[in-house]
Amino acid sequence: MTPGQELKRLRQRAIRQLIASRPVGSQRELVDALIDQGFDVTQATVSRDITELGLLKAPRTDGHVYMSPEDVAARPATPATSAGADERLRRILADVPVTVGRSGLILVLTGTPGTASVVAQAIDESTLREQEGTLAGDNTLLVLFADEARLERWLARFETIARSIPEVPVS
C-alpha cells in the first residue's frame, strides 16, 4: 500500500468515526474536524471520500446529517416477531416525515429525497407482514397488497407505529 493509499484509508476511517460519534451536517464540518485531527484536507477531498464511503445525508429533527450505510441499514439478529423489531422503523419515521396516499391496492409513501429505500427496508424488516412487497424510488415508496383487507390491516398497523412517535406526520 502506498503512503497516499494509507493516508486515504486513515482519513476515511476518521470520517466514519466522526459521523458515528456526533451529528455532522456539512462537508465543511468534516473538513474542520479532520484538520483538527491533523489531516491536511480540502472540501474536494472530503467530497470524494463521502462518495466513496457511500455516506447518505439523512434528515433528522436537528437538521440533515451524514450517516453511513451501515447506520441506515439494520441487521436484525432475529426475525421480526415482536414490537422490538419495529424500533428501527420508529426511529426512521421520527427522522423522515412520510405522507401516505393510495391508488387501488397500492399505498404510496412519500418522504424526503433519498429516503425511500431506507423506509422500504425498515418496513421489510419490521413486523408489518401483510404487504406483497415494497418498491422504492428516490423519495417515493410503493407498498403492494393482494387484497383490500390486507391493505387496511397493514395501514392500521403502520399508522399505530408512526403515531407512537409524537412528531411524525402521517396523512
Side-chain angles (χ1 to χ4, degrees):
M1 185 175 286
T2 68
Q5 290 171 326
E6 178 65 14
L7 183 59
K8 178 179 177 177
R9 186 182 67 76
L10 292 171
R11 184 180 63 244
Q12 288 185 352
R13 180 186 298 159
I15 290 170
R16 284 191 300 270
Q17 289 172 340
L18 281 167
I19 66 166
S21 65
R22 64 182 172 104
V24 177
S26 71
Q27 291 181 7
R28 181 79 247 163
E29 285 180 63
L30 275 176
V31 168
D32 292 343
L34 289 169
I35 288 171
D36 289 346
Q37 291 184 15
F39 290 96
D40 183 22
V41 295
T42 64
Q43 184 272 332
T45 301
V46 169
S47 179
R48 282 189 297 274
D49 286 339
I50 288 169
T51 300
E52 288 178 18
L53 292 168
L55 301 184
L56 306 168
K57 198 140 188 204
R60 297 180 56 97
T61 55
D62 56 346
H64 286 74
V65 297
Y66 284 105
M67 296 181 73
S68 72
E70 296 82 25
D71 291 338
V72 173
R75 290 176 240 141
T78 59
T81 57
S82 69
D86 294 334
E87 185 55 35
R88 178 170 180 264
L89 179 58
R90 280 188 190 89
R91 285 193 323 265
I92 290 169
L93 292 175
D95 292 338
V96 178
V98 173
T99 59
V100 179
R102 181 173 177 178
S103 177
L105 293 176
I106 300 171
L107 290 178
V108 181
L109 281 63
T110 306
T112 54
T115 60
S117 63
V118 173
V119 175
Q121 184 177 10
I123 287 169
D124 290 344
E125 294 173 351
S126 74
T127 60
L128 295 169
R129 295 283 180 234
E130 300 284 342
Q131 72 272 15
E132 295 300 312
T134 56
L135 178 65
D138 180 55
N139 70 320
T140 303
L141 160 68
L142 303 178
V143 186
L144 313 170
F145 297 90
D147 59 55
E148 181 76 24
R150 289 179 183 190
L151 184 149
E152 293 298 333
R153 284 191 304 266
W154 188 95
L155 184 56
R157 285 259 308 116
F158 178 81
E159 289 174 343
T160 298
I161 291 168
R163 287 199 174 103
S164 70
I165 307 154
E167 56 271 35
V168 176
V170 176
S171 53

